Amino acid sequence: MSLTITELDIAFGQLPVLEKMNLQVNNDEFVAILGPSGSGKSTLLQLIGGLLTPDNGMIQLNGESINGKKGLISYMPQHPSLFPWRTVLENVVLAAEIKGKPEYEEAKRLLEKAGLAEFENSYPNELSGGMKQRVAFIRALLSKQSLLCLDEPFSALDEFTRIKMQNWLLSIWEENRKSILFITHSIEEAMFLADRIYVLSKRPAHVKAEITVPFSRPRNERLLETNEFFHLKKQIFQHMKEDIADDD
Amino acid sequence: MRKMSMHGGRSLFFLLFLFILWELLIRLTETPKWLLPAPSDVLKEAAIGFGDFYGHLLSTISLSILGLVIGCSVGLLISIILHRLPKVNEVLYPLLILSQNIPTIVLAPLLIIWFGFGLLPKLIIISLVCFFPVVVASMDGFRQTAPELRHYMKMIGATNKQLFWKLELPHALPSIFSGLKIAATYSVMGAVISEWLGAKKGIGVYMTLAQSSFRIDRVFVAIGFIMLLSVGLFGVIRLAEKIMVKGRSEEKK
């Protein structure tokens, strides 16, 4: 599954939000989008999800235009957005249920892998923040679509839980490869997880830099302490600096 | 749950205390029974007269439940229609509020003139009293659906129908139940008023007869059973809520 976005423009009234946005997610590739808050990252996702239609430009999935078409991607939002009246098992099959038949066997298998087997019949209010995000991720993984869009999924977690969750995400992804578009505002998170990073400018957003992350997989948290990691971080930071300075 | 029953226990004790106070005051002031009977007189009458009262009670119970079911179903249906069709809502919602401003006591004789003394006018009165709290509470519940859940459902491509059945309706369940609980307590009142104005049987009829013959003790027996019936219906709906509303304990705290 590949996603191609070409020359995408959208404005809300007089306010241009995205301008000539170009990006590409290849088959089974992990791509991160790194941008400042309010740069239109969520707008980009809403365009891909079909909730908004672009003013100009094209969004293509496997070469077919999906402008304004809903239900073609799987999605994990910033907040876990679990349904409080559904058990964990009923929650993870929801996305698949919307599109057709829920598969409970597959769901149980993934829950067990995620160490959530014993919580299968619990309600979300009995889970911790990290566990809720794991459930939300499994829910996205279980939907049939093979492009997975993640909208700052770990931004609300504490540092310890976040690193644990990033490791966990990578390990699950290695086994269940899908194309991933990962939105984040953390340089380190983008570098640790992705194959490629698009750095967005502030509003109106366009792609400022495209960086290929050279680190081999499988990765673990030791990568965070290496010199190479630090150098790359510095390099990415250079691209972001101008926008930070402008804001003052 | 334990806290709840302790709460109930306390108010029961207070009620008992009030009854004792009432009993004492009646005995000390030697108030005649036809003016205000003591609780013991009321209890005695309830025990002796239960054979006669029984038929009236059954009739009111079945009337209340039937009216409640119809009123709540109509209320739920109206709230769903108004929620799904905002244009219709704009036109009808003010009318619904106006419908609640017609005093039941004025409307009831009119309905009897139009529909006779049968079951229909009574059911209309009870439904009219019951449907409104259900409509208001359900619509509030639908409207207050968490925006992030709504956004999630749209992102994964849910249709409007799925959005309603899988998200809005279950999300509104606690609100709907608060509407149902209010409706349950109103339904008995509606039933009694409707019987009052023309029926052969029922607590309302029993009450009118008791009143016109100055059997105040019987009036109190009727009041007591009306309360018990209301509390009973309320309890049934609470129980249904306990069974059907799940995973919300965090929100309630």
Side-chain angles (χ1 to χ4, degrees):
Chain A
M1 181 72 66
S2 67
L3 174 79
T4 314
I5 288 176
T6 34
E7 299 288 303
L8 204 61
D9 289 334
I10 192 169
F12 294 149
Q14 293 295 313
L15 184 77
V17 179
L18 302 183
E19 227 170 46
K20 301 218 179 309
M21 173 84 74
N22 287 292
L23 61 89
Q24 166 89 30
V25 183
N26 297 317
N27 196 26
D28 290 352
E29 194 185 21
F30 199 131
V31 172
I33 292 187
L34 184 61
S37 315
S39 62
K41 289 173 296 188
S42 296
T43 308
L44 177 65
L45 274 193
Q46 287 179 25
L47 282 160
I48 298 171
L51 297 196
L52 298 170
T53 335
D55 298 336
N56 286 304
M58 183 90 90
I59 309 165
Q60 287 168 302
L61 208 58
N62 287 337
E64 248 178 82
S65 167
I66 57 160
N67 287 16
K69 283 190 189 159
K70 286 180 202 161
L72 297 170
I73 56 158
S74 49
Y75 173 63
M76 174 176 178
Q78 190 169 357
H79 304 288
S81 303
L82 302 177
F83 288 22
W85 55 90
R86 283 175 170 243
T87 62
V88 167
L89 185 64
E90 286 164 349
N91 258 299
V92 293
V93 297
L94 177 69
E97 194 181 307
I98 294 292
K99 289 283 122 194
K101 278 225 153 130
E103 281 175 35
Y104 289 97
E105 286 314 306
E106 178 70 2
K108 280 183 182 170
R109 191 184 69 81
L110 277 175
L111 281 176
E112 194 173 335
K113 269 242 149 80
L116 291 167
E118 55 183 314
F119 292 100
E120 231 174 70
N121 297 316
S122 306
Y123 289 94
N125 61 2
E126 298 161 47
L127 306 180
S128 70
M131 276 148 92
K132 282 183 197 166
Q133 283 296 12
R134 268 187 273 174
V135 173
F137 182 69
I138 291 173
R139 178 177 62 182
L141 216 51
L142 278 170
S143 58
K144 290 277 175 289
Q145 300 83 353
S146 50
L147 175 68
L148 182 48
C149 294
L150 295 93
D151 188 3
E152 305 190 3
F154 305 142
S155 60
L157 300 176
D158 63 85
E159 189 84 19
F160 299 97
T161 318
R162 194 184 316 141
I163 293 175
K164 227 161 82 184
M165 289 295 295
Q166 288 164 350
N167 265 322
W168 176 81
L169 174 69
L170 280 183
S171 69
I172 294 276
W173 180 66
E174 305 279 1
E175 286 170 36
N176 305 273
R177 284 278 179 143
K178 278 192 175 196
S179 311
I180 291 189
L181 187 67
F182 190 101
I183 289 191
T184 180
H185 54 227
S186 155
I187 305 181
E188 292 189 5
E189 185 168 71
M191 283 165 45
F192 182 57
L193 297 174
D195 298 315
R196 258 177 331 118
I197 301 173
Y198 287 103
V199 182
L200 296 193
S201 66
K202 62 175 198 178
R203 210 163 48 211
H206 56 89
V207 174
K208 218 170 173 182
E210 183 193 336
I211 289 143
T212 305
V213 182
F215 311 125
S216 65
R217 294 184 189 277
R219 299 174 187 169
N220 60 38
E221 66 279 5
R222 257 166 293 167
L223 177 65
L224 299 171
E225 304 165 327
T226 58
N227 268 332
E228 290 84 355
F229 194 82
F230 187 70
H231 280 302
L232 188 64
K233 184 176 173 183
K234 214 167 148 187
Q235 190 194 328
I236 296 173
F237 190 66
Q238 291 299 325
H239 292 292
M240 299 174 78
K241 226 159 87 180
E242 302 152 36
D243 281 332
I244 297 168
D246 277 1
D247 263 1
D248 292 330
Chain B
M1 188 66 205
R2 231 171 79 200
K3 214 171 163 186
M4 260 286 305
S5 57
M6 232 168 76
H7 232 71
R10 259 183 224 159
S11 70
L12 209 64
F13 266 116
F14 185 61
L15 200 64
L16 204 65
F17 166 75
L18 287 180
F19 278 139
I20 291 168
L21 198 68
W22 176 4
E23 182 82 39
L24 283 178
L25 281 175
I26 297 288
R27 293 205 176 182
L28 286 176
T29 56
E30 288 171 6
T31 311
K33 204 172 145 190
W34 56 266
L35 194 61
L36 180 65
S40 57
D41 296 325
V42 175
L43 278 178
K44 217 181 288 164
E45 173 57 31
I48 297 167
F50 192 72
D52 286 337
F53 186 68
Y54 185 63
H56 295 293
L57 181 63
L58 273 190
S59 158
T60 303
I61 288 178
S62 55
L63 188 62
S64 309
I65 291 176
L66 195 60
L68 180 64
V69 170
I70 294 175
C72 291
S73 314
V74 170
L76 205 55
L77 204 69
I78 289 179
S79 69
I80 292 173
I81 292 171
L82 293 189
H83 172 69
R84 295 297 300 276
L85 306 169
K87 288 236 167 78
V88 178
N89 183 19
E90 265 170 50
V91 179
L92 282 189
Y93 200 67
L95 295 188
L96 284 184
I97 295 169
L98 280 181
S99 81
Q100 293 306 300
N101 293 334
I102 308 168
T104 317
I105 223 89
V106 175
L107 189 67
L110 283 182
L111 288 173
I112 286 167
I113 292 170
W114 294 333
F115 300 109
F117 286 99
L119 198 59
L120 186 65
K122 298 191 184 72
L123 288 179
I124 292 177
I125 290 172
I126 304 169
S127 306
L128 213 59
V129 178
C130 287
F131 92 101
F132 190 67
V134 179
V135 171
V136 174
S138 313
M139 285 195 57
D140 276 349
F142 295 143
R143 216 174 310 129
Q144 282 160 10
T145 308
E148 74 268 15
L149 296 185
R150 199 189 289 271
H151 179 245
Y152 172 75
M153 285 294 269
K154 283 188 178 159
M155 276 301 272
I156 61 169
T159 59
N160 277 337
K161 212 170 137 192
Q162 287 170 327
L163 199 66
F164 179 75
W165 289 107
K166 292 196 191 294
L167 175 60
E168 288 172 336
L169 185 64
H171 197 281
L173 221 49
S175 306
I176 294 175
F177 269 109
S178 27
L180 291 181
K181 279 188 266 186
I182 298 172
T185 47
Y186 283 5
S187 70
V188 184
M189 198 114 90
V192 171
I193 290 177
S194 72
E195 288 166 349
W196 211 344
L197 293 158
K200 291 191 197 78
K201 252 178 163 185
I203 299 181
V205 178
Y206 177 87
M207 246 178 150
T208 349
L209 289 176
Q211 225 163 8
S212 51
S213 54
F214 285 93
R215 290 297 301 265
I216 307 297
D217 51 346
R218 285 190 176 174
V219 175
F220 275 100
V221 169
I223 291 175
F225 275 102
I226 289 171
M227 283 174 167
L228 279 180
L229 196 52
S230 294
V231 171
L233 284 178
F234 187 90
V236 169
I237 289 182
R238 243 195 93 85
L239 191 72
E241 182 185 18
K242 274 249 157 66
I243 294 166
M244 287 174 72
V245 176
K246 283 175 179 152
R248 311 285 180 99
S249 54
E250 207 178 49
E251 285 169 25
K252 271 184 197 159
K253 266 175 205 167

